[in-house]
Amino acid sequence: MKEKKYNAEQLNSIILHRRSIYPYQYEKGKVVPDEIIWQILENANRAPNHKQTEPWRFTVFSGDGLQYFSALQATIYKQHAGNDFDESRYKKLFDYPLMSSHVIVIGMKRNETNKLPEIEEIEATACAVQNMFLSVTAYGLGCYWSTAGITYFEEAKAHFQLTKMDRLLGFFYIGHIMKPPVAISKRRPVQEKVTWIRRSAGNTL
């Protein structure tokens, strides 16, 4: 079988231009075709995961389902936020889904049979979300992974087929970008975060 060659420069460019694009930056009412959403989810499904547990779970809201989700998360937040209730956050929870084409709930389904550390299942799900980010960027769309609002509310899990042992890891908003960003996201030089060892253990660094 002939080895397939990929365009590394194009991949590098996709990664470089990956950005969080917020729902208020989307073209309201312009819908992303469902087949593109399915391909984004298929790419997420190809994420690395220890022992093939495939812990990621997705609930997709679109069409009239966005209104249901909007009311649902805003209501859960208002009922359970307590003293931490914030009116501006409540409004975002209600408005953001209605500005989007699709909202994908990110869940991690705990697999006890293999007794993996929970962090490995969370890391695998995060890899799946990164695949989604890069796929959305490649399609020229915008997306935003939110972990605010009801993400860490235990009361929210059951609404997305998650049990007490599972994790709700946030909400992934997708839409057509109203005005594509010009600047890339800011990062300090990678050299500041890398230790590179070129000598054997017997030598000093």
Side-chain angles (χ1 to χ4, degrees):
M1 183 177 178
K2 188 176 180 180
E3 183 180 355
K4 189 171 183 178
K5 295 183 179 180
Y6 301 96
N7 189 326
E9 289 185 4
Q10 190 171 25
L11 174 60
N12 293 342
S13 181
I14 290 170
I15 294 173
L16 181 65
H17 290 90
R18 184 215 60 78
R19 290 285 303 268
S20 290
I21 309 294
Y22 301 96
Y24 63 81
Q25 297 173 286
Y26 302 160
E27 291 187 50
K28 189 174 180 180
K30 189 172 183 180
V31 178
V32 177
D34 284 349
E35 55 265 31
I36 291 180
I37 300 299
W38 275 114
Q39 185 60 62
I40 291 167
L41 293 170
E42 176 61 37
N43 293 349
N45 198 43
R46 296 296 168 179
N49 59 107
H50 194 185
K51 295 187 179 294
Q52 299 294 299
T53 59
E54 302 178 30
W56 44 83
R57 295 294 185 275
F58 307 115
T59 301
V60 183
F61 291 92
S62 63
D64 292 341
L66 293 170
Q67 294 180 341
Y68 168 76
F69 173 70
S70 171
L72 175 65
Q73 72 166 353
T75 299
I76 292 173
Y77 176 71
K78 191 169 186 177
Q79 289 177 344
H80 301 286
N83 293 332
D84 294 326
F85 179 81
D86 180 272
E87 187 67 38
S88 63
R89 177 169 290 185
Y90 171 76
K91 190 174 187 310
K92 283 182 180 179
L93 292 175
F94 196 89
D95 292 344
Y96 270 16
L98 304 181
M99 299 175 183
S100 308
S101 171
H102 293 69
V103 178
I104 302 174
V105 181
I106 309 297
M108 184 278 286
K109 197 74 176 173
R110 189 78 170 108
N111 189 311
E112 278 194 332
T113 58
N114 290 314
K115 301 188 183 301
L116 289 177
E118 182 189 49
I119 187 62
E120 294 195 15
E121 304 282 63
I122 293 172
E123 289 165 344
T125 305
C127 286
V129 176
Q130 176 69 349
N131 280 4
M132 293 165 66
F133 255 117
L134 299 182
S135 300
V136 169
T137 303
Y139 277 110
L141 301 168
C143 63
Y144 166 55
W145 182 10
S146 171
T147 55
I150 63 172
T151 298
Y152 303 113
F153 286 23
E154 190 66 30
E155 298 84 359
K157 290 181 180 179
H159 294 278
F160 310 112
Q161 297 78 54
L162 299 172
T163 67
K164 186 175 181 179
M165 62 183 290
D166 303 328
R167 292 277 187 172
L168 176 59
L169 297 180
F171 306 92
F172 197 81
Y173 296 84
I174 299 177
H176 286 273
I177 306 172
M178 194 168 8
K179 185 179 179 182
V182 177
I184 61 174
S185 57
K186 295 180 180 179
R187 294 291 187 276
R188 299 192 312 277
V190 69
Q191 289 81 2
E192 295 180 10
K193 308 157 195 171
V194 175
T195 299
W196 196 310
I197 301 173
R198 298 182 184 274
R199 300 182 182 182
S200 64
N203 295 327
T204 58
L205 295 177

